[in-house]
Amino acid sequence: MSDKSRFSASAATGIGSMPGGDAREAARTVTGSFADGQGMPYLAELPARGPGADMTGRTIGLLVEMYGHVEPSGWRISDRPGRDTRRARSWLGEDLDALEEFSQGYEGLLKVQAVGPWTLAAGLELRGGEAMLGDPGACRDLAGSLAEGLRSHLAEVRRRVPGAEVVLQLDEPSLTAVLLGRVRSASGYRTYRAVDRQVVEGTLREVLAANGEEPTVVHSCAPEVPFALLRRAGADAVSFDFSLLTEREEEAIGEAVEGGTQLFLGVVPGLEAASTPLSDPGGSVKDVRTLWSRLGLNPGTLSESVVITPSCGLAGASPAYARAALAHCARAARSLADNPE
């Protein structure tokens, strides 16, 4: 696991998705929002373009010798790369072109996202319509294909932005449901058996290792994030919706911080709300300071332990709000660093 300063120079970032379908505009926003060095640019996802641009479709486009197509029920395994897989790869190419254009001369952390192996297994159907999650052999094959595809993808990002230290984020919103046996079958009348925690951990470790010695993050905007398991799997940071944190999970947070794991805290709303205008950066991180105090953690460790993010992706926001939210994350992170107590 990395030392505590791994993300400290990039105190804010986004989750991944952005509104609209214009790759150049999205790249301009995610690089320009953090132009002052107070944030981590990332490869934007634009799901509004349709199947293949969604996070599952994008990740299926990365797989090696494994393909998918869209059915009314969702993504399903294919024997060969069809229109949907080709579309996913084409859009990824557009997004990489745009990122390369707006990252000329950039040096620093740069984040890319992919769906993690367990959320992918829960959401990707076998030919008969059931999720891959129900077939342990299929899950192993999927994880191997994903790890190999990610190694190629990360190498391509490094080639296009040679000054970047590439951060790999695995999106695992279904992870807790996989661990607790809550993923429903195609019929909806039953759930798939819970996957053994050691198997889950080992598979995550295998896929995270695709980024070599460079930083890794696991993101979930679902409740009950398994912090200890993610730390054991080798994640350098855990990204989550701060509003969903329960008192029962606070001990795990303290252990993570003391163990050197960094926290990507989703404190800025992903959608515009009249009740929560983005006018007070300090107020956005007030509860973070309170948590630190309650756990007895040194306030001076905040700036080296925390990265500020939106609560989840920004795909459902207006372009203006998405820009405002990312800028607000950077200001809130600066407030936390300047006034940790």
Side-chain angles (χ1 to χ4, degrees):
M1 187 167 292
S2 300
D3 62 81
K4 291 173 80 73
S5 64
R6 195 117 203 213
F7 297 98
S8 60
S10 292
T13 191
I15 298 300
S17 66
M18 293 289 287
D22 187 331
R24 296 184 72 256
E25 180 59 30
R28 181 186 290 112
T29 298
V30 299
T31 55
S33 297
F34 306 121
D36 60 357
Q38 279 295 307
M40 187 191 313
Y42 56 97
L43 178 62
E45 300 164 354
L46 300 173
R49 292 182 295 197
D54 58 299
M55 69 179 196
T56 300
R58 161 162 290 183
T59 304
I60 288 170
L62 298 175
L63 298 176
V64 173
E65 296 183 358
M66 197 173 280
Y67 316 103
H69 67 277
V70 178
E71 294 280 344
S73 54
W75 282 91
R76 183 172 294 182
I77 283 293
S78 299
D79 293 324
R80 58 186 63 84
R83 179 186 60 187
D84 296 326
T85 298
R86 289 195 295 269
R87 184 191 298 125
R89 292 173 176 174
S90 174
W91 274 328
L92 174 58
E94 284 184 25
D95 295 338
L96 286 168
D97 289 344
L99 179 69
E100 182 178 7
E101 177 184 350
F102 288 97
S103 298
Q104 294 294 316
Y106 175 74
E107 296 183 355
L109 296 172
L110 173 69
K111 184 166 67 69
V112 300
Q113 308 80 218
V115 177
W118 294 109
T119 296
L120 197 59
L124 181 55
E125 299 174 354
L126 294 166
R127 290 174 183 83
E130 291 294 340
M132 295 189 81
L133 185 64
D135 183 333
C139 288
R140 287 192 295 272
D141 291 344
L142 180 64
S145 174
L146 176 59
E148 187 174 348
L150 282 171
R151 281 189 285 271
S152 297
H153 177 49
L154 294 164
E156 174 70 4
V157 173
R158 292 185 182 101
R159 184 187 69 78
R160 288 172 176 262
V161 192
E165 181 178 12
V166 181
V167 178
L168 171 62
Q169 174 182 303
L170 294 182
D171 292 318
E172 282 283 14
S174 298
L175 182 59
T176 299
V178 167
L179 288 165
L180 298 179
R182 295 176 181 170
V183 178
R184 294 204 166 275
S185 64
S187 68
Y189 293 122
R190 64 180 180 88
T191 56
Y192 295 102
R193 182 180 301 174
V195 181
D196 182 87
R197 297 180 78 86
Q198 289 188 331
V199 173
V200 170
E201 180 184 324
T203 301
L204 282 169
R205 185 180 297 111
E206 173 192 354
V207 177
L208 288 168
N211 205 30
E213 296 299 313
E214 296 202 6
T216 57
V217 186
V218 177
H219 166 73
S220 174
C221 52
E224 302 176 80
V225 176
F227 293 98
L229 183 149
L230 295 177
R231 291 176 58 211
R232 291 194 304 270
D236 295 306
V238 180
S239 172
F240 60 99
D241 182 343
F242 188 73
S243 70
L244 299 179
L245 188 67
T246 65
E247 190 174 329
R248 187 178 60 191
E249 294 168 301
E250 289 184 2
E251 184 178 348
I253 291 287
E255 291 174 353
V257 172
E258 290 176 346
T261 303
Q262 273 148 311
L263 306 176
F264 283 37
L265 303 182
V267 300
V268 176
L271 294 173
E272 188 168 11
S275 59
T276 54
L278 299 181
S279 58
D280 180 10
S284 294
V285 291
K286 178 181 66 175
D287 290 342
V288 178
R289 295 189 183 96
T290 301
L291 174 64
W292 236 246
S293 175
R294 193 160 60 240
L295 293 175
L297 296 169
N298 178 359
T301 65
L302 266 171
S303 62
E304 62 187 22
S305 301
V306 166
V307 173
I308 298 300
T309 75
S311 58
C312 211
L314 295 168
S318 68
Y321 180 78
R323 289 191 295 271
L326 293 179
H328 189 81
C329 286
R331 289 195 297 269
R334 196 174 304 120
S335 168
L336 202 59
D338 293 344
N339 303 290
E341 297 187 71

